[in-house]
Amino acid sequence: MTQPNSSNVECTCPKCGQTFYRFPSSKQRFCSRTCWYSTADDRVQRRFFSNIVVADSGCWEWTGPKTVFGHGIFTIRYKHFGAHRYSYEFFVEPIPDGLLVCHKCDNPCCVNPNHLFVGTVADNQQDAARKGRMPKGVDHKKAVLTVGLVQEIKLRVAAGERNCDIARSLGIAVHHINTVKRGLAWKYVE
């Protein structure tokens, strides 16, 4: 929400009566998306629900337009919203600034509010890691080491060889040796 200052215009939300501030060039009429959504006519809600198919898993799968990542796109008055974000705000509560709407079910096209939760980027990544969806080792797109190199590094470190000598002989950076040595990565390699 825009903060009050000398150039902003003070407005009152027609839905809830709350005072808010907007830029003079803005045509914003409501204090939040929640108030804006709640004034949408029945046609918008019918259109939203017409794009949902309930799956056996309990997911409400979005059948309308989707992003390349599989998240639904819902358009209201020429503005595009994530269908899962719209669903969360419509059924649960407003989404605090800077937070994501994450899926418990790991189905990006699901808009079932019972399968959604609000969290940070870190929360979303931790959730993915707990569920084994984060690439690790050679499957990671930025992997420099292989299982064979990691095994060699661990043997040479155990033999007491210096990190800089190992790195130089293998043609890799010293921080890769440190990461393996300290157990910050490649822990699963014996």
Side-chain angles (χ1 to χ4, degrees):
M1 184 182 299
T2 308
Q3 298 299 316
N5 68 33
S6 60
S7 65
N8 290 339
V9 176
E10 182 177 324
C11 302
T12 303
C13 179
K15 173 67 180 166
C16 68
Q18 180 177 335
T19 300
F20 68 98
Y21 297 88
R22 65 175 173 82
F23 296 112
S25 60
S26 172
K27 294 181 178 153
Q28 180 181 352
R29 290 181 37 223
F30 299 95
C31 66
S32 67
R33 283 191 196 147
T34 305
C35 285
W36 186 50
Y37 290 156
S38 67
T39 62
D41 58 9
D42 291 336
R43 289 180 301 149
V44 172
Q45 293 172 20
R46 280 197 307 271
R47 188 167 48 83
F48 179 78
F49 286 106
S50 72
N51 285 302
I52 296 172
V53 172
V54 179
D56 294 337
S57 62
C59 289
W60 297 0
E61 295 187 350
W62 184 258
T63 59
K66 295 178 186 155
T67 67
V68 294
F69 302 108
H71 295 100
I73 301 170
F74 187 56
T75 305
I76 305 172
R77 300 177 186 149
Y78 306 106
K79 289 192 178 187
H80 303 296
F81 301 96
H84 60 298
R85 292 180 66 86
Y86 175 85
S87 179
Y88 188 88
E89 285 196 341
F90 184 80
F91 290 106
V92 183
E93 64 184 354
I95 303 165
D97 288 340
L99 295 184
L100 307 175
V101 175
C102 310
H103 293 84
K104 296 175 190 172
C105 58
D106 296 334
N107 182 356
C109 69
C110 180
V111 295
N112 183 342
N114 296 323
H115 292 190
L116 304 174
F117 67 97
V118 173
T120 63
V121 172
D123 295 335
N124 200 24
Q125 290 175 339
Q126 288 170 357
D127 180 55
R130 268 194 310 275
K131 295 174 181 174
R133 290 187 295 110
M134 296 295 280
K136 65 180 184 179
V138 292
D139 295 333
H140 195 282
K141 66 183 179 183
K142 293 185 177 180
V144 171
L145 304 176
T146 63
V147 173
L149 278 176
V150 172
Q151 289 171 333
E152 184 177 344
I153 291 168
K154 288 186 176 192
L155 286 172
R156 291 171 74 173
V157 165
E161 202 171 328
R162 293 182 339 157
N163 292 359
C164 60
D165 294 336
I166 299 170
R168 189 177 305 115
S169 69
L170 296 176
I172 58 176
V174 175
H175 78 270
H176 293 301
I177 308 298
N178 291 330
T179 302
V180 171
K181 183 179 179 178
R182 293 171 55 204
L184 300 176
W186 300 92
K187 289 183 265 191
Y188 63 94
V189 176
E190 295 294 322

